[in-house]
Amino acid sequence: MRRPFVAGNWKMHGSRAENAQLLDGLVQGLPAQASADIAVCPPFVYLWETARVLKSSAIGVGAQSVCAESIGAFTGEVAASMLKDVGCTYVIVGHSERRAIYREDDALVARKFLASQSQGLIPILCVGETLEEREQGHTTEVVSRQLAAVLDVAGISALDTAVVAYEPVWAIGTGKTATPEQAQEVHAHIRGEVARRDAKIAAELRIVYGGSVKAANAREIFAKPDVDGGLIGGASLKADEFLKICAAAQAH
Ligand code: PEP
């Protein structure tokens, strides 16, 4: 039985005051015995404070990106060891906004994945197709390529301590959600790709969905057999909404 996982990707939102309010709402509202792993991913500068506030809670902390290098002259970058040092457990790698806006290619994403695991962080590896790729019938080919780029360098056993997030690019921040059937189809494909290499790892791998998940649609998406929770953007910025999504994940 896979334990559901829900992470909030705050993107470039928040302030110390807003974060304090949001985190307070989450800590107060999350049941002590949550049957899902829950995490929030604030911007780098708020990680330390967030980890401090959440220290005695069941909510984990993740970063939104990481440098592929471990130390040195990389102005503006943050190393995996630093993320670990300030209390992170998770790190998002390969988010479509990083791939599209900052031109992070499959090879760089794979190096970031390796850098994260080398410090004991759990990567949340994002894969997903653009609208054009979907319309041309290339969805499974694209996610297979993105996945293989990591597995070819990290090895299949790397997925023992990772989460995969299927995030169709056309559904991120657009209000357009994949139907539960569309999500299930791609999640099953991803699990099948992993199973070709290792059936046990595939059965245990958490594959979460991301793309305009809200309290109103979370339950039916999370009900699909290969959907193990969500990576939540906009809806993770409001405590009530995020808590409802977490509750929907725990219902399965
Ligand atoms: C995301 O940024 O990973 C995401 C899924 O965003 P949203 O939920 O806002 O679509």
Side-chain angles (χ1 to χ4, degrees), residues 98-198:
R98 302 292 318 175
R99 291 180 190 262
I101 305 168
Y102 299 101
R103 303 265 179 266
E104 294 188 5
D105 60 14
D106 288 342
L108 180 57
V109 172
R111 291 178 55 230
K112 290 185 173 210
F113 184 102
L114 287 176
S116 307
Q117 285 196 331
S118 76
Q119 296 299 321
L121 294 166
I122 298 174
I124 304 167
L125 170 65
C126 299
V127 299
E129 81 289 359
T130 62
L131 184 59
E132 193 183 2
E133 288 164 340
R134 174 165 281 266
E135 286 174 351
Q136 290 174 351
H138 297 321
T139 298
T140 53
E141 182 191 318
V142 169
V143 299
S144 295
R145 189 203 71 223
Q146 292 170 332
L147 188 64
V150 170
L151 297 186
D152 289 350
V153 297
I156 188 69
S157 57
L159 290 184
D160 265 338
T161 47
V163 173
V164 173
Y166 168 56
E167 297 211 308
V169 180
W170 48 272
I172 297 178
T174 59
K176 283 186 207 154
T177 317
T179 64
E181 292 69 32
Q182 283 173 321
Q184 168 58 26
E185 189 181 4
V186 181
H187 282 231
H189 170 78
I190 293 169
R191 202 175 301 287
E193 286 286 272
V194 176
R196 284 200 298 120
R197 301 183 191 225
D198 189 306

